[in-house]
Amino acid sequence: MAIIEVSGLRKVYGGRTVVDDVSFTVAEGEIFGILGPNGAGKTTTVECIEGLRVPDGGTVRVGGLDPVGDHDRVTQILGSQLQESELQPKLTVREALELYAACYPRPADWRALAGRLGLAEHLSARFGRLSGGQKQRLFIALALIGSPRVVVLDELTTALDPRARRDTWQLIEEVRAAGVTVLLVTHFMEEAQRLCDRIAVIDRGRVAALDTPAGLIGRSAQSVVVSFTPSAPLDPAELAALPGLGSVAPAGGRGGGEAEGRLEIRGTDATVDAVISLLARHRITAHRLRVGDATLDDAFLDLTELTAPTPQEA
């Protein structure tokens, strides 16, 4: 059953259409990701879902409710962590958690949330003195404190260090396991690939693709990556003629040894077969041969046209 339904969503700012006929559904209990370049319309889309902006066309429903017309009821089932948020500088972490908990009939245990997000030792700290990462963890706690059925997380792990980011990923997986639907907007491809059941890629206000992470990667023109250090130089013209070739480039390495002259070839299964045949034909040995799938980064670049950020992030 779909808990979020977006159909033909359209939003215009100053005569410029920033969201144009966006449609998708999110199943209950799903982690649904939204990816896209800066200015693509991601944040405007989720703000319409949250009821923070009024659509200029189309419909949005959360649990069957209109986020604008039924805003008070929607806030009882939807929690959100916005891309940019602020609290009063002198408000302490404890006061913020207690204040938000008081707004809901069945709030989560804010003490347990604080402990899970590494805030237990900072309950007496004032918001204005928190680090960027501590503020981000507090906003995640505030998004979850109402025991929502749906939580919207916009740039979830911005400002978090790698360890805190992975701890937060585990928390989100636990939240989903408890039956909460998660709508995740992110620029971190590793985050999207690990967490999301499905992803909508939005580019220039439209849905460019909607699929599972594996499905998006499989649709990439460069779905396979092969890297190796050849025992002798290969003819660039022969490499350029490989079937299904996406790119040929020096592979990243840490100076010296086999890293020098190492190649990274992106393409399809047919490309890999042709590379192996090419090496055998010239009796060239491929040292430290590695073959693997492309990443979500590769699929994202294939599916979107990167454009310069607009003055107002959409």
Side-chain angles (χ1 to χ4, degrees), residues 65-251:
L65 302 171
D66 179 351
V68 177
D70 303 310
H71 187 70
D72 289 345
R73 295 170 65 190
V74 169
T75 59
Q76 295 300 313
I77 65 172
L78 183 146
S80 62
Q81 171 256 328
L82 303 178
Q83 188 178 52
E84 295 183 8
S85 302
E86 287 293 330
L87 296 174
Q88 289 291 333
K90 293 185 178 180
L91 196 69
T92 67
V93 171
R94 180 191 299 274
E95 289 168 342
L97 292 167
E98 290 178 337
L99 175 64
Y100 273 63
C103 296
Y104 297 95
R106 292 178 296 278
D109 182 350
W110 63 260
R111 296 171 184 81
L113 272 178
R116 186 67 186 82
L117 285 162
L119 294 170
E121 297 179 358
H122 305 285
L123 294 177
S124 299
R126 299 189 186 279
F127 179 80
R129 301 187 66 89
L130 297 177
S131 68
Q134 290 165 348
K135 289 179 180 179
Q136 190 76 340
R137 292 197 294 272
L138 175 58
F139 286 125
I140 294 169
L142 297 179
L144 296 171
I145 206 164
S147 301
R149 291 174 60 195
V150 180
V151 63
V152 178
L153 303 170
D154 195 346
E155 301 301 339
L156 167 69
T157 55
T158 298
L160 299 185
D161 60 54
R163 182 178 298 278
R165 181 174 297 130
R166 291 183 180 276
D167 288 345
T168 303
W169 291 350
Q170 184 176 344
L171 171 66
I172 298 310
E173 289 170 336
E174 293 170 1
V175 167
R176 192 269 290 276
V180 178
T181 303
V182 179
L183 183 60
L184 177 66
V185 183
T186 183
H187 278 106
F188 289 107
M189 299 298 157
E190 182 185 1
E191 180 169 281
Q193 190 165 345
R194 167 169 168 169
L195 293 177
C196 296
D197 299 300
R198 291 186 301 140
I199 296 170
V201 179
I202 296 181
D203 187 31
R204 300 192 181 197
R206 291 178 172 269
V207 176
L210 199 165
D211 208 333
T212 64
L216 292 175
I217 292 169
R219 291 163 61 175
S220 170
Q222 303 173 20
S223 59
V224 181
V225 180
V226 56
S227 61
F228 59 93
T229 303
S231 59
L234 288 164
D235 182 356
E238 288 189 281
L239 290 174
L242 292 170
L245 180 68
S247 65
V248 179

